[in-house]
Amino acid sequence: MTSNSEVKRIGIMGGTFDPLHYGHLVAAEMARNEFRLEKVIFIPTGNPPHKMGREITNPEARFQMVKLATEDNLSFGVSRIEIERIGHSYTVDTLRELHQLYPEHEIYFITGSDAFREIFTWKDFESALELCHFIGASRPGFDAEEFMQDLQAAHPEFFTRMHLLEVPALAISSTDIRSRVRKNQPIRYLLPEAVRLYIERESLYQNIL
Ligand code: NAP
């Protein structure tokens, strides 16, 4: 019989990554270590249903930036599963596909604590929570204790499958990077140099916030 400690775990890093920065990389690495994940696969969003208002950089460019940032780490990978999906992309559909691909693994879905806070509004969140554990990577200033108390009161049935991870490096944000580029301010050292050069070469974020 297999004991629980022998169950293999895989991390899935879900995000728009517009652009990917060091905060995301540190969060993935901390989660990998803390939750003993075999590897972490980054999955850039395709056509997110909750982002109807803002113009998002095309999926292929966001995929390329994630690829450039992760290719030197054998414990990291990147998947096209969401960017190739036609129509709106929901996490529950991704989790179902991953469950088929990794039937032997426990799935840990890592995302930002702001997105994590909204999980109970996601499509079919009950099924999503049956398919994986969620890790919310929190920025400095996020009131983790209050959030977990509210969560326990409102959804005790899911409490053991939701985890918070404080990531000081998440003081870096994609919104700030886009704004800096637009204002012609430096972004070096906030993200991998290959990603910075890609942004420069493709003239990304000149007009969008
Ligand atoms: P977002 O609204 O762009 O980001 C929310 C916040 O979380 C931002 O502050 C963002 O910081 C941070 N963040 C996002 N991904 C992160 C990550 N992997 N690690 C650390 N911080 C992260 O959220 P999003 O990127 O669109 O969505 C996050 C994930 O949740 C995606 O996989 C998305 O598909 C999923 N989601 C699913 C549904 C659904 O199925 N209905 C609805 C909403 C979200 P930065 O801007 O610096 O990244």
Side-chain angles (χ1 to χ4, degrees), residues 39-56:
K39 66 186 294 182
V40 177
I41 302 174
F42 288 66
I43 304 196
T45 55
N47 182 8
H50 59 294
K51 287 278 174 69
M52 308 292 275
R54 176 172 94 69
E55 192 185 329
I56 299 173

Side-chain angles (χ1 to χ4, degrees), residues 43-115:
I43 304 196
T45 55
N47 182 8
H50 59 294
K51 287 278 174 69
M52 308 292 275
R54 176 172 94 69
E55 192 185 329
I56 299 173
T57 305
N58 74 75
E60 196 58 47
R62 291 185 286 109
F63 173 85
Q64 287 305 329
M65 290 191 277
V66 176
K67 189 161 173 282
L68 287 168
T70 53
E71 60 195 1
D72 66 343
N73 186 337
L74 291 178
S75 300
F76 288 171
V78 52
S79 161
R80 303 180 65 88
I81 193 172
E82 289 201 354
I83 67 169
E84 285 183 355
R85 190 173 293 150
I86 310 287
H88 284 321
S89 182
Y90 294 100
T91 298
V92 68
D93 300 324
T94 304
L95 289 168
R96 287 192 177 114
E97 275 189 58
L98 291 166
H99 199 62
Q100 304 280 324
L101 285 171
Y102 300 99
E104 307 280 305
H105 286 73
E106 271 182 355
I107 299 173
Y108 281 71
F109 189 92
I110 310 154
T111 193
S113 51
D114 298 347

Side-chain angles (χ1 to χ4, degrees), residues 13-19 21 23-24 27 43-45 48-51 54 82 89-92 109-115 118 121-123 137 139 170 172-175 178:
M13 185 77 171
T16 309
F17 305 127
D18 194 13
H21 53 67
H24 299 128
I43 304 196
T45 55
H50 59 294
K51 287 278 174 69
R54 176 172 94 69
E82 289 201 354
S89 182
Y90 294 100
T91 298
V92 68
F109 189 92
I110 310 154
T111 193
S113 51
D114 298 347
E118 305 288 315
T121 67
W122 292 9
K123 183 189 164 204
R139 294 208 143 91
L170 279 174
I172 301 172
S173 89
S174 301
T175 307
R178 293 193 301 271

